[in-house]
Amino acid sequence: EELDLNNEYDPATSTFIPKQSGVYFLFASIEFTPTSVGIPITIVLEIRVNGNPRIRDREEFTSSRGAIDASGILPLQAGDVVQVFAAVAGGNGSTASGVGTRFEGARIS
């Protein structure tokens, strides 16, 4: 955690809960390393609000290292629960291990 002006992010649960209703810009990214180089894997990254997918990106990778991000502008109510989820699907049991993650949320109106 680098900046949390309104104490809305809980790093223990990786949860963002806005204290004010408004329009928010949300951004999430992950960097990863596939366990089997050359075997295609699909990464799905979602930003969920109250358990419902609201922003989503899906990409295929075959390289030795990759990154994916998802961002968008959403109306949020005070108390909404915002979380980021990633899923990996690959042939021959291929998986990916995380290298780094990033989340940003800012009220813009």
Side-chain angles (χ1 to χ4, degrees):
E1 183 178 332
E2 291 188 29
L3 178 64
D4 189 357
L5 296 176
N6 209 15
N7 197 29
E8 296 171 304
Y9 180 73
D10 182 350
T13 61
S14 296
T15 303
F16 174 74
I17 301 175
K19 292 184 177 178
Q20 292 180 286
S21 297
V23 177
Y24 283 76
F25 171 76
L26 303 173
F27 173 87
S29 69
I30 59 170
E31 293 179 45
F32 57 89
T33 301
T35 56
S36 300
V37 177
I39 297 174
I41 62 169
T42 300
I43 305 286
V44 177
L45 182 63
E46 291 182 341
I47 299 176
R48 297 180 184 176
V49 178
N50 301 321
N52 299 309
R54 298 293 307 276
I55 300 171
R56 183 176 194 261
D57 191 15
R58 177 185 181 276
E59 295 186 32
E60 288 192 18
F61 297 89
T62 56
S63 63
S64 60
R65 189 168 180 164
I68 185 172
D69 61 60
S71 64
I73 297 172
L74 293 176
L76 296 177
Q77 299 300 312
D80 280 346
V81 177
V82 179
Q83 295 177 301
V84 178
F85 289 85
V88 180
N92 300 328
S94 182
T95 61
S97 61
V99 173
T101 62
R102 181 174 175 169
F103 173 79
E104 297 177 20
R107 187 169 57 87
I108 56 176
S109 77

XYZ file of all heavy atoms in Angstrom:
813
model
N 0.849 -1.176 0.000
C 0.000 0.000 0.000
C 0.891 1.234 0.000
O 1.750 1.379 0.858
C -0.890 -0.018 1.245
C -1.848 1.102 1.320
C -2.752 1.012 2.552
O -3.003 -0.100 3.033
O -3.165 2.072 2.998
N 0.669 2.097 -0.987
C 1.484 3.299 -1.094
C 0.725 4.571 -0.736
O 1.287 5.481 -0.167
C 2.056 3.423 -2.504
C 3.091 2.360 -2.783
C 3.791 2.587 -4.104
O 3.912 3.747 -4.532
O 4.205 1.589 -4.698
N -0.554 4.615 -1.102
C -1.328 5.832 -0.875
C -2.787 5.447 -0.649
O -3.380 4.776 -1.483
C -1.208 6.754 -2.097
C -1.982 8.058 -2.074
C -1.462 8.956 -0.958
C -1.869 8.760 -3.416
N -3.324 5.840 0.483
C -4.723 5.558 0.804
C -5.255 6.752 1.589
O -5.288 6.740 2.815
C -4.832 4.259 1.603
C -6.266 3.801 1.787
O -7.200 4.518 1.352
O -6.472 2.731 2.380
N -5.677 7.770 0.865
C -6.057 9.032 1.488
C -7.266 8.933 2.407
O -7.379 9.686 3.359
C -6.341 10.080 0.404
C -5.154 10.479 -0.473
C -5.612 11.448 -1.550
C -4.048 11.078 0.364
N -8.179 8.026 2.125
C -9.426 7.952 2.888
C -9.566 6.643 3.661
O -10.657 6.293 4.082
C -10.610 8.153 1.923
C -11.801 8.783 2.596
O -11.695 9.328 3.694
N -12.942 8.712 1.944
N -8.450 5.896 3.776
C -8.458 4.614 4.489
C -9.562 3.694 3.963
O -10.374 3.158 4.706
C -8.603 4.835 6.001
C -8.211 3.594 6.781
O -7.382 2.806 6.330
N -8.812 3.417 7.939
N -9.565 3.486 2.623
C -10.606 2.691 1.976
C -10.106 1.334 1.491
O -10.898 0.512 1.046
C -11.178 3.469 0.782
C -11.861 4.746 1.215
C -12.236 5.637 0.050
O -11.340 5.984 -0.744
O -13.422 5.983 -0.063
N -8.806 1.107 1.559
C -8.230 -0.146 1.067
C -7.711 -0.973 2.243
O -7.002 -0.463 3.105
C -7.082 0.132 0.089
C -6.454 -1.122 -0.454
C -7.125 -1.905 -1.387
C -5.200 -1.528 -0.033
C -6.558 -3.066 -1.882
C -4.621 -2.685 -0.535
C -5.310 -3.445 -1.454
O -4.750 -4.599 -1.947
N -8.092 -2.254 2.273
C -7.620 -3.167 3.313
C -6.633 -4.143 2.682
O -7.040 -5.058 1.963
C -8.802 -3.922 3.916
C -8.388 -4.850 5.045
O -7.177 -5.061 5.261
O -9.290 -5.380 5.711
N -5.330 -3.958 2.905
C -4.343 -4.845 2.285
C -4.423 -6.285 2.789
O -4.036 -7.210 2.080
C -2.996 -4.201 2.641
C -3.272 -3.322 3.800
C -4.710 -2.911 3.715
N -4.958 -6.508 3.968
C -5.074 -7.870 4.505
C -6.067 -8.708 3.701
O -5.903 -9.922 3.568
C -5.486 -7.828 5.974
N -7.098 -8.057 3.147
C -8.110 -8.778 2.370
C -8.113 -8.360 0.900
O -8.943 -8.846 0.137
C -9.521 -8.528 2.954
O -9.808 -7.121 2.887
C -9.612 -9.011 4.391
N -7.216 -7.449 0.529
C -7.154 -6.912 -0.838
C -8.523 -6.400 -1.286
O -9.011 -6.707 -2.364
C -6.632 -7.960 -1.814
O -5.311 -8.302 -1.496
N -9.143 -5.629 -0.425
C -10.493 -5.134 -0.672
C -10.517 -3.606 -0.602
O -9.973 -3.010 0.316
C -11.476 -5.706 0.377
O -11.403 -7.130 0.331
C -12.890 -5.273 0.099
N -11.175 -2.994 -1.591
C -11.392 -1.553 -1.620
C -12.867 -1.302 -1.339
O -13.739 -1.849 -2.022
C -11.006 -1.000 -2.999
C -11.311 0.454 -3.192
C -10.544 1.432 -2.579
C -12.354 0.850 -4.008
C -10.811 2.784 -2.776
C -12.641 2.199 -4.213
C -11.868 3.159 -3.589
N -13.155 -0.488 -0.323
C -14.538 -0.151 0.033
C -14.637 1.370 0.109
O -14.149 1.983 1.061
C -14.954 -0.795 1.372
C -14.827 -2.310 1.287
C -16.371 -0.371 1.748
C -15.105 -3.043 2.592
N -15.252 1.995 -0.912
C -15.336 3.453 -0.904
C -16.227 3.959 0.225
O -17.253 3.357 0.537
C -15.931 3.786 -2.275
C -16.635 2.552 -2.708
C -15.909 1.401 -2.082
N -15.811 5.068 0.817
C -16.600 5.692 1.880
C -17.590 6.706 1.325
O -18.513 7.107 2.028
C -15.669 6.356 2.895
C -14.865 5.345 3.686
C -14.027 6.004 4.740
C -13.290 4.945 5.549
N -12.415 5.532 6.560
N -17.388 7.117 0.056
C -18.282 8.079 -0.573
C -18.829 7.491 -1.864
O -18.100 6.847 -2.622
C -17.542 9.366 -0.917
C -17.100 10.174 0.283
C -16.370 11.423 -0.198
O -15.246 11.346 -0.655
N -17.043 12.562 -0.088
N -20.096 7.752 -2.130
C -20.668 7.384 -3.426
C -20.129 8.333 -4.483
O -19.828 9.488 -4.197
C -22.194 7.477 -3.380
O -22.720 6.562 -2.450
N -20.000 7.834 -5.711
C -19.524 8.676 -6.793
C -19.086 7.835 -7.974
O -19.317 6.626 -8.032
N -18.444 8.492 -8.915
C -17.899 7.826 -10.090
C -16.410 7.612 -9.830
O -15.696 8.544 -9.446
C -18.127 8.673 -11.360
C -17.480 8.009 -12.564
C -19.625 8.875 -11.589
N -15.964 6.369 -10.034
C -14.584 5.993 -9.717
C -13.867 5.447 -10.946
O -14.464 4.748 -11.771
C -14.565 4.902 -8.636
C -14.834 5.416 -7.249
C -16.118 5.751 -6.847
C -13.802 5.572 -6.332
C -16.370 6.221 -5.575
C -14.043 6.042 -5.049
C -15.329 6.371 -4.677
O -15.571 6.833 -3.411
N -12.589 5.761 -11.034
C -11.704 5.108 -11.994
C -11.011 3.968 -11.251
O -10.441 4.178 -10.176
C -10.656 6.084 -12.537
C -9.608 5.383 -13.367
C -9.894 4.968 -14.656
C -8.361 5.121 -12.847
C -8.932 4.305 -15.414
C -7.396 4.468 -13.590
C -7.683 4.053 -14.878
N -11.075 2.756 -11.821
C -10.466 1.576 -11.209
C -9.465 0.961 -12.186
O -9.712 0.900 -13.395
C -11.533 0.544 -10.851
C -12.644 1.025 -9.916
C -13.716 -0.049 -9.784
C -12.075 1.400 -8.558
N -8.350 0.490 -11.651
C -7.301 -0.122 -12.461
C -6.701 -1.287 -11.677
O -6.435 -1.167 -10.483
C -6.201 0.907 -12.754
C -4.995 0.323 -13.436
C -4.940 0.224 -14.807
C -3.921 -0.144 -12.699
C -3.826 -0.320 -15.443
C -2.808 -0.691 -13.313
C -2.759 -0.782 -14.693
N -6.486 -2.404 -12.360
C -5.828 -3.556 -11.750
C -4.897 -4.187 -12.776
O -5.202 -4.204 -13.973
C -6.854 -4.584 -11.283
N -3.770 -4.699 -12.307
C -2.861 -5.408 -13.205
C -2.137 -6.502 -12.435
O -1.998 -6.428 -11.214
C -1.843 -4.452 -13.834
O -0.942 -3.979 -12.865
N -1.725 -7.518 -13.173
C -0.884 -8.572 -12.607
C 0.226 -8.887 -13.597
O 0.041 -8.797 -14.810
C -1.668 -9.864 -12.277
C -2.345 -10.440 -13.518
C -2.671 -9.633 -11.172
C -2.930 -11.822 -13.312
N 1.376 -9.195 -13.065
C 2.486 -9.732 -13.844
C 2.644 -11.180 -13.414
O 2.456 -11.511 -12.238
C 3.770 -8.974 -13.561
C 3.761 -7.546 -14.024
C 5.059 -6.853 -13.689
O 6.137 -7.444 -13.910
O 4.987 -5.731 -13.192
N 2.998 -12.059 -14.343
C 3.057 -13.476 -14.011
C 4.091 -14.182 -14.868
O 4.561 -13.651 -15.889
C 1.682 -14.134 -14.210
C 1.165 -13.961 -15.606
C 1.470 -14.883 -16.590
C 0.420 -12.854 -15.938
C 1.025 -14.698 -17.889
C -0.029 -12.659 -17.235
C 0.272 -13.588 -18.211
N 4.436 -15.386 -14.448
C 5.339 -16.253 -15.184
C 4.638 -17.578 -15.423
O 4.289 -18.265 -14.453
C 6.636 -16.500 -14.385
O 7.252 -15.239 -14.129
C 7.594 -17.387 -15.155
N 4.400 -17.951 -16.694
C 3.796 -19.264 -16.962
C 4.728 -20.385 -16.499
O 5.948 -20.261 -16.576
C 3.647 -19.290 -18.489
C 3.659 -17.855 -18.898
C 4.568 -17.172 -17.921
N 4.157 -21.460 -16.011
C 4.978 -22.582 -15.538
C 5.523 -23.411 -16.690
O 6.524 -24.090 -16.539
C 4.178 -23.492 -14.583
O 3.001 -23.938 -15.259
C 3.805 -22.748 -13.320
N 4.892 -23.354 -17.863
C 5.354 -24.092 -19.045
C 5.471 -23.125 -20.216
O 4.473 -22.705 -20.789
C 4.379 -25.213 -19.401
O 4.246 -26.122 -18.340
N 6.688 -22.762 -20.569
C 6.916 -21.814 -21.661
C 6.546 -22.467 -22.993
O 6.838 -23.630 -23.233
C 8.387 -21.362 -21.670
C 8.649 -20.430 -22.843
C 8.734 -20.668 -20.365
N 5.886 -21.686 -23.857
C 5.507 -22.167 -25.177
C 4.134 -22.803 -25.237
O 3.603 -23.027 -26.314
N 3.552 -23.126 -24.096
C 2.201 -23.690 -24.064
C 1.233 -22.539 -23.803
O 1.370 -21.827 -22.808
C 2.066 -24.772 -22.972
C 2.998 -25.938 -23.291
C 0.627 -25.245 -22.858
C 3.047 -27.003 -22.217
N 0.282 -22.321 -24.693
C -0.634 -21.185 -24.525
C -1.440 -21.284 -23.225
O -1.916 -22.354 -22.859
C -1.562 -21.281 -25.733
C -0.926 -22.221 -26.682
C -0.029 -23.101 -25.889
N -1.563 -20.153 -22.561
C -2.442 -20.052 -21.397
C -3.325 -18.824 -21.594
O -2.958 -17.882 -22.289
C -1.691 -19.954 -20.060
C -0.814 -18.699 -20.008
C -0.895 -21.206 -19.789
C -0.258 -18.428 -18.629
N -4.483 -18.875 -20.990
C -5.409 -17.754 -21.029
C -5.534 -17.195 -19.620
O -5.767 -17.947 -18.667
C -6.790 -18.206 -21.536
O -6.632 -18.748 -22.848
C -7.766 -17.042 -21.582
N -5.356 -15.899 -19.501
C -5.501 -15.210 -18.219
C -6.757 -14.349 -18.297
O -6.952 -13.617 -19.271
C -4.295 -14.309 -17.913
C -2.983 -15.083 -17.974
C -4.479 -13.610 -16.568
C -2.735 -16.008 -16.826
N -7.593 -14.447 -17.279
C -8.781 -13.596 -17.165
C -8.606 -12.759 -15.903
O -8.338 -13.293 -14.826
C -10.075 -14.429 -17.076
C -11.274 -13.519 -16.892
C -10.235 -15.296 -18.313
N -8.730 -11.448 -16.045
C -8.611 -10.528 -14.921
C -9.932 -9.777 -14.787
O -10.423 -9.203 -15.764
C -7.456 -9.553 -15.160
C -7.151 -8.548 -14.065
C -6.722 -9.261 -12.783
C -6.069 -7.582 -14.515
N -10.514 -9.812 -13.590
C -11.803 -9.149 -13.352
C -11.719 -8.216 -12.158
O -11.086 -8.546 -11.147
C -12.884 -10.176 -13.043
C -13.280 -11.044 -14.185
C -14.388 -12.010 -13.822
O -14.625 -12.280 -12.614
O -15.029 -12.513 -14.743
N -12.381 -7.089 -12.279
C -12.648 -6.220 -11.137
C -14.115 -6.428 -10.811
O -14.987 -6.191 -11.649
C -12.353 -4.745 -11.453
C -10.869 -4.562 -11.815
C -12.747 -3.865 -10.269
C -10.498 -3.155 -12.246
N -14.367 -6.925 -9.598
C -15.737 -7.239 -9.188
C -16.224 -6.238 -8.143
O -15.475 -5.796 -7.280
C -15.807 -8.643 -8.590
C -15.452 -9.731 -9.590
C -15.527 -11.091 -8.959
N -15.085 -12.134 -9.889
C -14.983 -13.402 -9.564
N -15.297 -13.814 -8.343
N -14.565 -14.276 -10.465
N -17.501 -5.904 -8.258
C -18.160 -5.023 -7.289
C -19.273 -5.831 -6.638
O -20.158 -6.330 -7.337
C -18.712 -3.748 -7.961
C -19.432 -2.885 -6.934
C -17.589 -2.973 -8.649
N -19.178 -6.000 -5.338
C -20.147 -6.805 -4.584
C -20.286 -8.211 -5.174
O -21.380 -8.761 -5.257
C -21.497 -6.105 -4.494
C -21.388 -4.755 -3.825
O -20.640 -4.582 -2.866
N -22.114 -3.778 -4.321
N -19.166 -8.765 -5.631
C -19.142 -10.122 -6.158
C -19.503 -10.257 -7.620
O -19.422 -11.347 -8.181
N -19.888 -9.165 -8.258
C -20.301 -9.205 -9.665
C -19.208 -8.641 -10.564
O -18.736 -7.517 -10.341
C -21.586 -8.388 -9.869
C -22.724 -8.937 -9.056
O -23.019 -10.119 -9.101
N -23.369 -8.065 -8.284
N -18.809 -9.378 -11.615
C -17.798 -8.859 -12.540
C -18.301 -7.593 -13.226
O -19.389 -7.577 -13.786
C -17.624 -9.984 -13.562
C -18.189 -11.204 -12.918
C -19.245 -10.724 -11.977
N -17.516 -6.524 -13.146
C -17.909 -5.256 -13.774
C -16.917 -4.808 -14.832
O -17.281 -4.148 -15.788
C -18.053 -4.169 -12.703
C -19.132 -4.439 -11.665
C -20.540 -4.397 -12.247
N -20.838 -3.194 -12.983
C -21.241 -2.052 -12.459
N -21.428 -1.949 -11.167
N -21.475 -1.003 -13.224
N -15.635 -5.135 -14.647
C -14.594 -4.809 -15.623
C -13.800 -6.086 -15.842
O -13.439 -6.764 -14.874
C -13.676 -3.679 -15.116
C -14.481 -2.407 -14.860
C -12.541 -3.420 -16.105
C -13.706 -1.316 -14.147
N -13.529 -6.423 -17.119
C -12.908 -7.718 -17.393
C -11.972 -7.621 -18.592
O -12.260 -6.908 -19.551
C -14.008 -8.735 -17.693
C -13.563 -10.133 -17.928
C -14.824 -10.997 -18.114
N -14.509 -12.390 -18.017
C -14.333 -13.202 -19.054
N -14.440 -12.726 -20.278
N -14.056 -14.466 -18.880
N -10.862 -8.348 -18.517
C -9.982 -8.505 -19.667
C -9.578 -9.970 -19.742
O -9.421 -10.636 -18.716
C -8.743 -7.625 -19.562
C -7.952 -7.572 -20.864
O -8.501 -7.971 -21.919
O -6.781 -7.156 -20.829
N -9.419 -10.462 -20.975
C -9.033 -11.856 -21.216
C -7.986 -11.852 -22.312
O -8.213 -11.284 -23.385
C -10.253 -12.660 -21.655
C -9.978 -14.093 -22.008
C -11.262 -14.743 -22.560
N -11.052 -16.111 -22.883
C -10.545 -16.568 -24.034
N -10.205 -15.712 -24.968
N -10.391 -17.843 -24.237
N -6.838 -12.481 -22.047
C -5.773 -12.512 -23.039
C -5.072 -13.864 -23.024
O -5.033 -14.538 -21.990
C -4.748 -11.405 -22.767
C -5.324 -10.009 -22.931
C -4.277 -8.931 -22.792
O -3.111 -9.166 -23.157
O -4.629 -7.845 -22.311
N -4.493 -14.219 -24.183
C -3.718 -15.454 -24.292
C -2.237 -15.115 -24.346
O -1.843 -14.119 -24.958
C -4.117 -16.235 -25.540
C -5.471 -16.878 -25.416
C -5.742 -17.877 -26.534
O -4.780 -18.323 -27.190
O -6.919 -18.201 -26.724
N -1.424 -15.977 -23.721
C 0.019 -15.768 -23.658
C 0.744 -17.078 -23.942
O 0.273 -18.145 -23.577
C 0.434 -15.281 -22.259
C -0.145 -13.952 -21.884
C -1.376 -13.875 -21.249
C 0.530 -12.781 -22.161
C -1.916 -12.650 -20.891
C -0.003 -11.551 -21.813
C -1.227 -11.490 -21.181
N 1.917 -16.974 -24.567
C 2.797 -18.131 -24.743
C 4.223 -17.785 -24.343
O 5.110 -18.612 -24.440
C 2.809 -18.622 -26.209
O 3.176 -17.544 -27.051
C 1.465 -19.175 -26.612
N 4.462 -16.567 -23.893
C 5.814 -16.116 -23.574
C 6.255 -16.591 -22.194
O 5.495 -17.191 -21.447
C 5.886 -14.592 -23.652
O 5.037 -14.030 -22.678
N 7.493 -16.267 -21.853
C 8.041 -16.677 -20.569
C 7.617 -15.760 -19.432
O 7.805 -16.088 -18.264
C 9.569 -16.717 -20.642
O 10.062 -15.425 -20.961
N 7.030 -14.615 -19.755
C 6.543 -13.694 -18.732
C 5.474 -12.823 -19.368
O 5.563 -12.480 -20.547
C 7.687 -12.847 -18.201
C 7.302 -12.033 -16.995
C 8.532 -11.455 -16.338
N 8.134 -10.690 -15.186
C 8.946 -10.315 -14.244
N 10.208 -10.636 -14.304
N 8.515 -9.618 -13.228
N 4.456 -12.460 -18.616
C 3.386 -11.663 -19.188
C 2.773 -10.716 -18.184
O 3.060 -10.779 -16.988
N 1.927 -9.836 -18.689
C 1.197 -8.895 -17.849
C -0.159 -8.637 -18.482
O -0.305 -8.658 -19.701
C 1.966 -7.593 -17.701
N -1.132 -8.407 -17.640
C -2.488 -8.106 -18.093
C -3.044 -7.029 -17.171
O -2.717 -6.985 -15.979
C -3.378 -9.374 -18.089
C -4.760 -9.086 -18.674
C -3.465 -9.988 -16.708
C -5.609 -10.338 -18.879
N -3.865 -6.144 -17.742
C -4.503 -5.132 -16.903
C -5.946 -4.940 -17.342
O -6.332 -5.314 -18.445
C -3.738 -3.807 -16.934
C -3.662 -3.186 -18.313
O -4.722 -2.891 -18.898
O -2.538 -2.993 -18.808
N -6.719 -4.397 -16.437
C -8.120 -4.082 -16.689
C -8.415 -2.756 -15.996
O -7.976 -2.533 -14.867
C -9.028 -5.186 -16.151
N -9.148 -1.884 -16.674
C -9.485 -0.602 -16.069
C -10.792 -0.096 -16.634
O -11.233 -0.507 -17.705
C -8.364 0.419 -16.315
O -8.231 0.687 -17.690
N -11.400 0.799 -15.890
C -12.645 1.387 -16.340
C -13.177 2.390 -15.340
O -12.627 2.569 -14.256
N -14.263 3.036 -15.722
C -14.928 4.031 -14.884
C -16.297 3.486 -14.512
O -17.067 3.084 -15.391
C -15.046 5.369 -15.637
C -13.646 5.909 -15.943
C -15.861 6.372 -14.839
C -13.639 7.126 -16.851
N -16.578 3.455 -13.204
C -17.835 2.888 -12.711
C -18.455 3.765 -11.634
O -17.730 4.363 -10.831
C -17.598 1.520 -12.067
C -17.154 0.363 -12.927
C -16.894 -0.852 -12.051
C -18.221 0.038 -13.953
N -19.785 3.799 -11.568
C -20.418 4.415 -10.402
C -20.356 3.427 -9.233
O -20.651 2.247 -9.398
C -21.854 4.649 -10.863
C -22.092 3.592 -11.900
C -20.757 3.352 -12.560
N -19.945 3.904 -8.078
C -19.906 3.076 -6.869
C -20.687 3.768 -5.766
O -20.726 5.002 -5.687
C -18.463 2.853 -6.402
C -17.522 2.080 -7.326
C -16.125 2.026 -6.711
C -18.053 0.681 -7.594
N -21.298 2.948 -4.927
C -21.991 3.448 -3.747
C -21.075 3.292 -2.534
O -20.257 2.375 -2.484
C -23.288 2.677 -3.516
C -24.287 2.786 -4.654
C -24.711 4.220 -4.906
O -25.058 4.955 -3.989
N -24.677 4.635 -6.165
N -21.220 4.168 -1.570
C -20.461 4.020 -0.336
C -20.744 2.636 0.238
O -21.897 2.203 0.293
C -20.860 5.106 0.657
N -19.693 1.904 0.598
C -19.855 0.573 1.166
C -19.774 -0.566 0.165
O -19.752 -1.732 0.565
N -19.749 -0.255 -1.146
C -19.551 -1.321 -2.133
C -18.215 -2.016 -1.880
O -17.246 -1.375 -1.462
C -19.556 -0.760 -3.562
C -20.949 -0.505 -4.114
O -21.925 -1.002 -3.520
O -21.051 0.184 -5.144
N -18.163 -3.301 -2.148
C -16.936 -4.083 -1.966
C -16.324 -4.332 -3.340
O -16.924 -4.981 -4.190
C -17.237 -5.419 -1.246
C -15.975 -6.255 -1.129
C -17.838 -5.152 0.132
N -15.116 -3.799 -3.549
C -14.411 -3.933 -4.819
C -13.221 -4.868 -4.617
O -12.387 -4.632 -3.729
C -13.925 -2.564 -5.341
C -13.177 -2.710 -6.653
C -15.098 -1.599 -5.487
N -13.158 -5.933 -5.438
C -12.064 -6.901 -5.354
C -11.606 -7.267 -6.759
O -12.367 -7.148 -7.723
C -12.496 -8.165 -4.619
C -12.836 -7.908 -3.154
C -13.329 -9.157 -2.469
O -14.316 -9.737 -2.890
N -12.641 -9.556 -1.424
N -10.380 -7.746 -6.863
C -9.797 -8.152 -8.135
C -9.573 -9.656 -8.101
O -9.064 -10.199 -7.114
C -8.467 -7.418 -8.393
C -7.831 -7.891 -9.699
C -8.686 -5.912 -8.405
N -9.955 -10.324 -9.189
C -9.779 -11.769 -9.308
C -9.072 -12.082 -10.622
O -9.312 -11.435 -11.629
C -11.137 -12.486 -9.287
C -11.799 -12.470 -7.949
C -12.579 -11.383 -7.563
C -11.636 -13.521 -7.074
C -13.185 -11.349 -6.324
C -12.241 -13.500 -5.837
C -13.015 -12.416 -5.449
N -8.215 -13.100 -10.578
C -7.538 -13.568 -11.785
C -7.718 -15.072 -11.882
O -7.705 -15.780 -10.871
C -6.060 -13.219 -11.743
N -7.898 -15.555 -13.106
C -8.027 -16.991 -13.356
C -7.112 -17.364 -14.512
O -6.909 -16.579 -15.433
C -9.474 -17.347 -13.686
N -6.575 -18.570 -14.444
C -5.664 -19.066 -15.467
C -6.227 -20.354 -16.045
O -6.649 -21.236 -15.309
C -4.266 -19.360 -14.874
C -3.324 -19.884 -15.942
C -3.700 -18.134 -14.198
N -6.218 -20.439 -17.375
C -6.624 -21.672 -18.048
C -5.563 -21.992 -19.090
O -5.151 -21.119 -19.846
C -7.979 -21.509 -18.720
N -5.091 -23.218 -19.105
C -4.058 -23.572 -20.071
C -4.112 -25.028 -20.440
O -4.663 -25.854 -19.711
N -3.516 -25.343 -21.562
C -3.434 -26.730 -21.997
C -2.388 -27.492 -21.217
O -1.462 -26.921 -20.650
N -2.528 -28.782 -21.141
C -1.562 -29.663 -20.497
C -1.289 -29.288 -19.042
O -0.183 -29.440 -18.546
C -0.244 -29.701 -21.270
C -0.430 -30.206 -22.676
O -1.301 -31.034 -22.928
N 0.355 -29.709 -23.602
N -2.271 -28.752 -18.354
C -2.112 -28.417 -16.938
C -1.222 -27.222 -16.680
O -0.746 -27.033 -15.572
N -0.968 -26.407 -17.690
C -0.118 -25.238 -17.515
C -0.779 -24.238 -16.571
O -1.986 -24.037 -16.598
C 0.141 -24.579 -18.869
O 1.002 -23.475 -18.707
N 0.029 -23.628 -15.734
C -0.465 -22.609 -14.811
C 0.488 -21.417 -14.868
O 1.429 -21.398 -15.648
C -0.534 -23.144 -13.366
O 0.781 -23.525 -12.945
C -1.480 -24.327 -13.263
N 0.260 -20.450 -14.014
C 1.133 -19.283 -13.934
C 1.297 -18.903 -12.476
O 0.388 -19.090 -11.669
C 0.540 -18.117 -14.723
N 2.466 -18.401 -12.153
C 2.689 -17.909 -10.802
C 2.801 -16.393 -10.849
O 3.308 -15.825 -11.815
C 3.958 -18.527 -10.204
O 5.075 -18.186 -10.982
N 2.293 -15.755 -9.811
C 2.280 -14.302 -9.763
C 3.649 -13.718 -9.513
O 4.443 -14.272 -8.766
N 3.925 -12.609 -10.168
C 5.175 -11.887 -9.967
C 4.885 -10.566 -9.260
O 5.618 -10.152 -8.392
C 5.883 -11.645 -11.324
C 7.099 -10.760 -11.146
C 6.253 -12.965 -11.971
N 3.785 -9.924 -9.635
C 3.436 -8.649 -9.019
C 2.000 -8.273 -9.317
O 1.422 -8.719 -10.310
N 1.426 -7.469 -8.432
C 0.056 -7.007 -8.624
C -0.015 -5.512 -8.362
O 0.848 -4.941 -7.691
C -0.924 -7.715 -7.670
O -0.555 -7.407 -6.316
C -0.909 -9.215 -7.875
N -1.073 -4.908 -8.911
C -1.273 -3.471 -8.690
C -2.769 -3.200 -8.737
O -3.493 -3.742 -9.577
C -0.557 -2.690 -9.779
C -0.677 -1.197 -9.629
C 0.171 -0.510 -10.667
N -0.012 0.927 -10.621
C 0.755 1.766 -11.267
N 1.738 1.325 -11.993
N 0.522 3.060 -11.184
N -3.241 -2.325 -7.846
C -4.635 -1.886 -7.846
C -4.662 -0.397 -7.576
O -3.946 0.101 -6.706
C -5.463 -2.615 -6.788
C -6.855 -2.048 -6.684
C -7.825 -2.384 -7.606
C -7.180 -1.140 -5.692
C -9.102 -1.831 -7.540
C -8.442 -0.583 -5.609
C -9.405 -0.935 -6.529
N -5.517 0.305 -8.316
C -5.729 1.733 -8.085
C -7.210 2.032 -8.150
O -7.918 1.465 -8.979
C -5.021 2.585 -9.156
C -3.523 2.427 -9.161
C -2.863 3.219 -10.273
O -3.500 4.177 -10.801
O -1.727 2.889 -10.620
N -7.662 2.884 -7.267
C -9.043 3.349 -7.281
C -9.079 4.817 -6.888
O -8.460 5.199 -5.895
N -9.781 5.624 -7.669
C -9.859 7.055 -7.367
C -11.251 7.576 -7.728
O -11.762 7.284 -8.802
C -8.804 7.824 -8.142
N -11.838 8.339 -6.818
C -13.131 8.967 -7.101
C -12.868 10.186 -7.985
O -12.045 11.029 -7.685
C -13.805 9.393 -5.804
C -15.230 9.899 -6.017
C -15.979 10.067 -4.703
N -15.313 10.952 -3.792
C -15.475 12.282 -3.763
N -16.288 12.855 -4.617
N -14.826 13.007 -2.900
N -13.584 10.222 -9.117
C -13.371 11.324 -10.055
C -14.545 12.304 -10.086
O -14.459 13.353 -10.699
C -13.051 10.806 -11.477
C -14.142 9.877 -12.001
C -11.701 10.104 -11.482
C -13.922 9.418 -13.443
N -15.665 11.945 -9.434
C -16.764 12.904 -9.286
C -17.703 12.448 -8.198
O -17.739 11.334 -7.788
C -17.526 13.105 -10.588
O -18.382 12.027 -10.841
